[in-house]
Amino acid sequence: MTTIAAPVTATPTPTPANDSHKKNRIQVSNTKKPLFFYVNLAKRYIQQHNEVELSALGMAIATVVTIAEILKNNGLATEKKVLTSTVGMKDENKGRLVQKAKIEIVLGKSEKFDNLMSPTAAAAATESEAATDDKK
């Protein structure tokens, strides 16, 4: 009886930090979804993972900053890290390499997050927004 040995290649298992890092990333676009879609998605990611990473290129950077400021000003998140860089991308029209600005903002769960996101707090916020709208 002959034994044949086949080479075994091991695939590296992702580290837990790297694995969760990708699960809680939101890549924001100016044209695809409305602003509050991303705000609500970020709230859900913070609830599930205790932090969220917002990422954008070029003109969408202003949208990411707005989302982060909304979450921070409402007491839902705290700023953990802000990274800026440039990324080389191929221009679709001219076929040449262009530099695009990139931002990554990591937000963590605030101490008040769970209290603010409880159903009673959400209902009270909705009622106060409705009352404010009525006064206008």
Side-chain angles (χ1 to χ4, degrees), residues 45-107:
Y45 277 30
I46 292 170
Q47 220 166 18
Q48 292 171 349
H49 303 287
N50 292 327
E51 70 174 27
V52 64
E53 181 181 323
L54 302 167
S55 173
L57 294 174
M59 301 298 283
I61 289 174
T63 306
V64 162
V65 171
T66 303
I67 294 164
E69 287 301 313
I70 288 169
L71 292 168
K72 285 172 21 185
N73 291 339
N74 288 332
L76 296 168
T78 56
E79 194 174 287
K80 282 188 166 183
K81 185 168 56 171
V82 178
L83 297 169
T84 58
S85 60
T86 54
V87 180
M89 300 189 81
K90 198 164 189 170
D91 189 351
E92 294 171 9
N93 301 332
K94 300 174 183 137
R96 63 185 174 127
L97 199 67
V98 282
Q99 294 291 315
K100 285 257 191 183
K102 179 179 181 178
I103 192 166
E104 294 176 38
I105 301 175
V106 179
L107 298 174

Side-chain angles (χ1 to χ4, degrees), residues 103-124:
I103 192 166
E104 294 176 38
I105 301 175
V106 179
L107 298 174
K109 189 186 233 184
S110 74
E111 293 174 9
K112 302 183 231 167
F113 184 88
D114 292 321
N115 290 339
L116 292 170
M117 290 297 287
S118 69
T120 53

Side-chain angles (χ1 to χ4, degrees), residues 29-48:
S29 166
N30 271 3
T31 57
K32 298 228 177 3
K33 302 278 184 190
L35 176 73
F36 276 89
F37 167 83
Y38 292 113
V39 171
N40 291 325
L41 185 62
K43 285 180 191 176
R44 195 172 321 138
Y45 277 30
I46 292 170
Q47 220 166 18
Q48 292 171 349

